[in-house]
Amino acid sequence: MIDHLNVEALEALPDDAPVTMLNLMRFRDKSLDGNGSGWDAYLRYSALTIKLIKGVGGTITWTGSAEAVALGVPDENQWDYVALVRYPSRKAFIAMMTSPEYAQSNVERENGCAAHTIIAVRETYKRRES
């Protein structure tokens, strides 16, 4: 269903706190199904997936356009869009990603994204309020 979903790597990590997933996306010029642009397909995917994210207790904490590579090799980091999605656990993320409902919405993700990388990140620093 989902190529390159690294369930074993996620399950090997501690699952004792919420997890944020850093999503990096590059869109196709045209959706693979011919229904608009890659961005249009991604919007269809988002509309379907937000219900699944909320259904496992997750939330989108931030989204925005990727403007420029500030540090790094630009040709190796061509991203159009970034999203931070917080889940109550890695187990909740895996359950959503491996569900039959996600498989249905994933068609639109594949139609729209030329590349989509998701990185599990753990908070290690929290600014103290003064």
Side-chain angles (χ1 to χ4, degrees):
M1 177 184 87
I2 307 295
D3 291 343
H4 309 294
L5 180 61
N6 296 311
V7 173
E8 292 166 1
L10 291 172
E11 290 178 337
L13 295 168
D15 202 12
D16 56 352
V19 62
T20 298
M21 297 295 182
L22 167 65
N23 288 252
L24 303 168
M25 292 147 282
R26 182 172 57 251
F27 300 121
R28 301 178 191 283
D29 289 334
K30 294 183 180 183
S31 177
L32 289 180
D33 66 359
N35 187 7
S37 67
W39 172 249
D40 295 330
Y42 184 77
L43 290 176
R44 292 189 296 273
Y45 162 78
S46 294
L48 296 167
T49 306
I50 188 62
K51 299 169 194 165
L52 302 176
I53 292 169
K54 289 181 178 183
V56 297
T59 187
I60 297 172
T61 60
W62 186 90
T63 64
S65 298
E67 295 183 320
V69 176
L71 176 67
V73 180
D75 290 345
E76 294 174 11
N77 294 283
Q78 295 181 6
W79 303 110
D80 297 316
Y81 200 65
V82 178
L84 297 173
V85 185
R86 188 172 176 91
Y87 295 88
S89 65
R90 287 175 175 79
K91 188 176 284 186
F93 171 77
I94 293 167
M96 184 199 77
M97 293 292 287
T98 57
S99 72
E101 295 82 11
Y102 185 83
Q104 292 174 345
S105 64
N106 187 56
V107 172
E108 294 293 359
R109 183 186 72 84
E110 291 176 350
N111 282 337
C113 291
H116 185 178
T117 297
I118 301 175
I119 302 170
V121 298
R122 178 181 282 264
E123 185 174 318
T124 57
Y125 170 82
K126 191 168 189 173
R127 186 176 151 223
R128 292 185 188 174
E129 297 297 324
S130 39

